[in-house]
């Protein structure tokens, strides 16, 4: 399992994201990940800039909502960003959540899994330089584009439900999960993905989780409830918590001493997670020292 840099699980300025990507590369991380915020910066544009000031590290975005973006337009944007990233870009896409799509964008949140299948059937071929001729239920596309100097872009799907995981396995390069714990990954996500991807290249499993190295795990879980508590009220995550057998987001945070966190992360690797995306958060009064302590451990795990 490779370790990615958290670039970052917080609202940041585009310049901070670029600087974080540079720092993650210096520290030896395999990938620098950026959240796409619906009410903040455009992550693909920001990572294109990060690509010009880094040389080795993979650059990933998760998750770009599909409903507000035509797949041809998103493919063109990602293919252009790939030029500046030197072939190191990973595009994470997802259906987001009903309140975001219907409330913020004013679009119907209909048939998410079927929508994603059709979307991927257009997006993925376009990002491999192919033309697409589709007259589907949601989209009509007749042709393609040419971006000189680009290369195929790896596409991952934000997936938690079995139907979405199957769509990801059959039509993309893998999944990105947020807050999926060991039980859900082991019993549902990883085996479903592998079956769906049979006959295709081994799928990527990127697991994003809150991580904090601390001597006070109880306090760390309480802080996780504050920092990530909005997910407790989202329908998709309530179903996830039920499958996982936990009450709320704090129960899924990876917290404890260096040895405890390293042991927990090793378990995720054993379950089939190929890449870890740690959402580092501070615990205690000295927040900067807390972040440094967690990143120090992750740096040792990131370097082979």
């Amino acid at each position: 399992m490779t370790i990615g840099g958290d670039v970052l699980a917080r609202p940041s300025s585009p310049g901070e994201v670029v600087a974080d990507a540079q720092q993650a590369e210096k520290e030896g991380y395999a990938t620098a990940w950026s959240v796409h915020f619906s009410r903040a910066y455009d992550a693909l544009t920001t990572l294109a800039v990060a690509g010009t000031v880094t040389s080795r590290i993979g650059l990933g975005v998760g998750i770009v909502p599909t409903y507000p973006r035509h797949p041809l337009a998103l493919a063109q944007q990602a293919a252009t960003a790939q030029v500046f990233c030197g072939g190191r870009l990973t595009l994470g896409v997802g259906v987001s959540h009903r309140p975001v799509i219907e409330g913020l964008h004013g679009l119907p949140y209909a048939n998410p899994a079927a929508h994603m299948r059709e979307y991927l059937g257009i997006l993925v071929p376009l990002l491999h330089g192919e033309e697409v001729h589709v007259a589907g239920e949601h989209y009509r596309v007749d042709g393609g584009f040419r971006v000189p100097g680009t290369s195929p872009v790896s596409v991952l799907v934000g997936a938690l439900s079995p139907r979405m995981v199957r769509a990801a396995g059959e039509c993309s390069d893998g999944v990105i999960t947020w807050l999926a714990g060991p039980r859900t990954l082991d019993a549902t996500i990883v085996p479903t993905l592998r079956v769906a991807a049979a006959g295709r290249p081994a799928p990527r499993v990127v697991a994003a989780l809150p991580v904090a190295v601390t001597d006070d795990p109880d306090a760390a879980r309480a802080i996780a409830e504050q920092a990530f508590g909005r997910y407790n009220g989202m329908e998709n995550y309530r179903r996830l918590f039920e499958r996982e057998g936990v009450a709320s987001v704090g129960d899924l945070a990876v917290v404890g001493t260096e040895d405890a966190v390293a042991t927990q992360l090793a378990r995720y690797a054993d379950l089939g997670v190929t890449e870890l995306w740690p959402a580092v958060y501070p615990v205690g009064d000295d927040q900067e020292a807390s972040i440094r302590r967690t990143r120090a451990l992750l740096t040792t795990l990131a370097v082979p």
Side-chain angles (χ1 to χ4, degrees), residues 112-164:
H115 159 87
M116 180 58 73
R117 281 184 178 277
E118 186 172 313
Y119 199 96
L120 293 171
I122 299 168
L123 179 72
V124 172
L126 288 171
L127 287 174
H128 283 76
E130 303 173 20
E131 289 197 351
V132 172
H133 305 279
V134 169
E137 181 179 352
H138 304 280
Y139 300 101
R140 292 178 178 268
V141 177
D142 188 17
F145 55 81
R146 181 177 178 272
V147 176
T150 194
S151 57
V153 177
S154 181
V155 177
L156 303 179
V157 177
L160 295 175
S161 71
R163 290 185 65 193
M164 196 65 73

Side-chain angles (χ1 to χ4, degrees), residues 35 62 114 180 192 204 211 234 282:
V35 173
T192 301
R204 295 168 63 183
V211 179
M234 294 183 178

Side-chain angles (χ1 to χ4, degrees), residues 31 48 54 74 85 95-97 105 135 143 153-154 164 167 170 183 186 188 190 206 209 250 279 298 301:
T31 309
T54 56
L74 180 59
C85 292
V95 296
S96 188
H97 303 277
H105 294 286
V153 177
S154 181
M164 196 65 73
E170 293 172 7
R183 182 181 297 182
D186 187 40
T188 304
V190 172
V206 179
L209 291 158
L298 293 172
L301 300 177

Side-chain angles (χ1 to χ4, degrees), residues 15-157:
E16 288 174 320
V17 172
V18 172
D20 286 339
Q22 290 179 291
Q23 184 62 32
E25 181 169 78
K26 291 178 182 177
E27 293 177 352
Y29 290 98
T31 309
W33 290 96
S34 176
V35 173
H36 180 91
F37 292 100
S38 293
R39 298 179 186 271
Y41 60 85
D42 178 80
L44 267 177
T45 304
T46 304
L47 289 183
V49 176
T52 67
V53 295
T54 56
S55 60
R56 174 198 57 80
I57 195 167
L59 299 167
V61 56
I63 299 292
V64 178
T66 54
Y67 283 103
R69 294 164 178 80
H70 193 285
L72 179 61
L74 180 59
Q76 187 179 31
Q77 183 187 10
T80 303
Q82 179 73 306
V83 175
F84 294 100
C85 292
R88 294 175 281 128
L89 179 66
T90 294
L91 172 61
V93 297
V95 296
S96 188
H97 303 277
R98 188 180 300 276
V100 176
I101 301 305
E102 294 186 345
L104 176 62
H105 294 286
L107 299 170
Y109 190 78
N111 303 315
H115 159 87
M116 180 58 73
R117 281 184 178 277
E118 186 172 313
Y119 199 96
L120 293 171
I122 299 168
L123 179 72
V124 172
L126 288 171
L127 287 174
H128 283 76
E130 303 173 20
E131 289 197 351
V132 172
H133 305 279
V134 169
E137 181 179 352
H138 304 280
Y139 300 101
R140 292 178 178 268
V141 177
D142 188 17
F145 55 81
R146 181 177 178 272
V147 176
T150 194
S151 57
V153 177
S154 181
V155 177
L156 303 179
V157 177

